[in-house]
């Protein structure tokens, strides 16, 4: 099979590799499309190795067709599926523990389905299981025009929350408004901490962190939660513990990739039951910014490095159905 591997020069290259072997409890998927995520960039840079047991090449989500499945599985060869991965999605085939595989939502193309597992699982984990977001509360989402941000905004609005978000351009502002954002802050022309004080926050999903996170904590309501899911803006900040004590604030670190398959599988079953019908009927829109073929993986990564995307970036395999 062909797979996109990381070279010694920290670039991506399409190479011929052995296909995965069938294992007990695993589904082998013929990959039709794979989502591109910022974690993939970190992996290329040598800063985010895959969990034990997963391939060395990137890819945290995919869609495709079941190639083989155990006899006891609910899946059969030919089923259209999407999956959450610990790695290995940038390949023509991938072996996945069954609990991480989901049927594709109805009315979805393979390209669209590849954009779903990582962002919706992350959104469900942090908004519902950890954040316990309630109707009438206010959510703050950093980088709202990212694939994750646009998903979090939609899910938060569905849950009855008010959404405040940040963007870096007017084009991205239009995208987050389309997703349902109530308040849009341009981080390049406005002071985010000062603007946030106008809209006290109950829950924040922060993929930037850095110094600005410490400056924004004062905008939380009493009992508010600030969940850091990535540190794109830096890994350190000055924090006032007086603010923590006075406002009973919870500062939470959260990653999806490091959780057990059982924990991830629980989240995916929630998606399958509660979210996939809303994707199928168009309640939740799938925002895709650009689509590349697998031999253009370096160009796909450049889009994310440049932070120019509003929505997901997807890799497809030529000759396979879109």
């Amino acid at each position: 099979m062909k797979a996109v591997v990381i070279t010694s020069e920290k670039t991506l290259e399409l190479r011929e590799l052995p296909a995965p072997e069938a294992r007990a409890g695993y589904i082998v998927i013929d990959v039709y499309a794979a989502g591109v995520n910022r974690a993939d960039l970190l992996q290329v840079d040598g800063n985010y190795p895959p969990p034990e047991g997963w391939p060395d090449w990137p890819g945290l989500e995919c869609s495709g067709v079941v190639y083989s499945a155990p006899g006891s599985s609910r899946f059969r060869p030919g089923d259209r599926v999407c999956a959450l991965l610990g790695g290995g999605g940038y390949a023509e085939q991938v072996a996945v523990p069954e609990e991480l595989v989901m049927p594709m939502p109805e009315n979805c193309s393979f390209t669209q389905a590849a954009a779903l597992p990582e962002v919706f699982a992350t959104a469900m984990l942090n908004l519902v299981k950890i954040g316990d977001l309630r109707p009438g509360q206010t959510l703050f989402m950093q980088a709202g025009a990212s694939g994750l941000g646009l998903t979090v905004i939609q899910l938060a609005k569905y849950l009855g929350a008010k959404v405040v978000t940040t963007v870096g351009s007017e084009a991205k502002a239009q995208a987050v408004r389309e997703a349902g954002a109530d308040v849009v802050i341009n981080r390049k022309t406005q002071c985010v901490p000062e603007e946030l004080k106008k809209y006290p926050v109950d829950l924040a999903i922060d993929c930037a962190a850095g110094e600005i996170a410490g400056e924004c904590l004062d905008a939380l309501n009493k009992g508010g939660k600030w969940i850091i899911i990535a540190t794109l803006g830096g890994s350190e900040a000055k924090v006032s513990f007086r603010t923590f004590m006075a406002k009973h604030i919870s500062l939470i670190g959260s990653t999806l990739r490091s959780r057990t398959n059982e924990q991830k599988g629980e989240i995916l079953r929630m998606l399958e039951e509660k979210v996939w019908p809303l994707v199928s009927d168009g309640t939740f829109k799938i925002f895709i910014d650009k689509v590349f073929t697998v031999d253009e993986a370096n160009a796909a990564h450049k889009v994310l490095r440049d932070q120019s995307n509003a929505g997901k970036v997807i890799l497809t395999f030529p000759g396979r159905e879109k």
Side-chain angles (χ1 to χ4, degrees):
M1 70 168 187
K2 290 183 173 61
V4 178
V5 301
I6 301 170
T7 70
S8 57
E9 291 78 28
K10 296 183 178 180
T11 61
L12 298 168
E13 182 175 286
L14 193 62
R15 293 181 183 171
E16 193 72 31
L17 294 175
E21 296 181 0
R23 289 181 280 171
Y26 278 68
I27 308 294
V28 177
I29 299 173
D30 283 330
V31 177
Y32 282 42
V36 179
N37 293 277
R38 292 197 179 277
D40 302 339
L41 277 60
L42 294 175
Q43 186 172 337
V44 170
D45 294 340
N47 298 323
Y48 201 8
E52 185 178 354
W54 288 95
D56 291 332
W57 48 92
L60 298 182
E61 58 191 340
C62 73
S63 64
V65 172
V66 172
Y67 174 79
S68 67
S72 59
S73 172
R74 64 174 175 148
F75 296 104
R76 293 290 180 266
D79 285 351
R80 295 158 59 96
V81 294
C82 55
L84 183 70
L85 315 172
Y90 293 13
E92 288 183 316
Q93 281 193 333
V94 63
V96 189
E98 181 169 354
E99 57 264 43
L100 303 186
V101 180
M102 299 172 284
M104 280 173 45
E106 295 179 8
N107 305 317
C108 269
S109 67
F110 287 106
T111 299
Q112 292 172 318
L116 300 177
E118 179 73 20
V119 293
F120 271 104
T122 301
M124 182 67 76
L125 169 65
N126 292 291
L127 287 182
V128 178
K129 290 186 67 65
I130 298 175
D132 191 26
L133 186 66
R134 303 295 179 87
Q137 291 187 325
T138 297
L139 171 82
F140 174 55
M141 177 70 215
Q142 280 274 43
S146 64
L148 173 62
L150 292 165
T151 301
V152 166
I153 290 168
Q154 292 184 89
L155 183 55
K157 292 300 297 180
Y158 182 79
L159 294 171
K162 177 179 180 178
V163 176
V164 182
T165 191
T166 59
V167 296
S169 70
E170 182 53 37
K172 292 185 177 183
Q174 293 176 13
V176 299
R177 290 190 185 103
E178 184 179 347
D182 299 286
V183 178
V184 183
I185 302 170
N186 188 324
R187 59 181 176 81
K188 293 185 178 180
T189 61
Q190 297 172 281
C191 177
V192 176
E194 289 301 318
E195 290 298 318
L196 267 191
K197 291 178 182 177
K198 303 174 185 177
Y199 313 100
V201 173
D202 299 291
L203 174 65
I205 307 296
D206 187 0
C207 56
E211 286 294 337
I212 194 171
E215 297 168 6
C216 287
L217 289 178
D218 197 45
L220 281 173
N221 281 320
K222 276 193 173 183
K225 298 177 182 178
W226 193 282
I227 303 177
I228 296 178
I229 62 172
T231 56
L232 298 174
S235 58
E236 296 182 358
K238 183 184 292 185
V239 173
S240 168
F241 289 114
R242 288 182 179 177
T243 300
F244 267 85
M245 293 185 294
K247 292 195 170 187
H248 309 156
I249 288 173
S250 297
L251 180 61
I252 302 168
S254 173
T255 62
L256 178 64
R257 194 182 197 187
S258 62
R259 295 176 187 271
T260 66
N261 289 342
E262 291 73 21
Q263 291 171 327
K264 294 175 186 176
E266 180 185 353
I267 297 167
L268 299 188
R269 299 293 78 78
M270 292 173 65
L271 293 183
E272 194 176 326
E273 176 186 350
K274 300 178 182 299
V275 174
W276 269 202
L278 301 172
V279 173
S280 297
D281 69 13
T283 299
F284 291 149
K285 181 177 178 181
I286 304 169
F287 287 85
I288 294 178
D289 185 84
K290 288 183 174 60
V291 179
F292 295 88
T293 56
V294 288
D295 57 331
E296 300 172 312
N298 287 299
H301 276 212
K302 187 176 186 302
V303 172
L304 266 66
R305 289 190 188 277
D306 293 343
Q307 299 183 25
S308 62
N309 58 302
K312 293 286 290 187
V313 174
I314 305 295
L315 295 176
T316 62
F317 287 82
R320 292 184 167 175
E321 181 187 348
K322 304 297 187 293

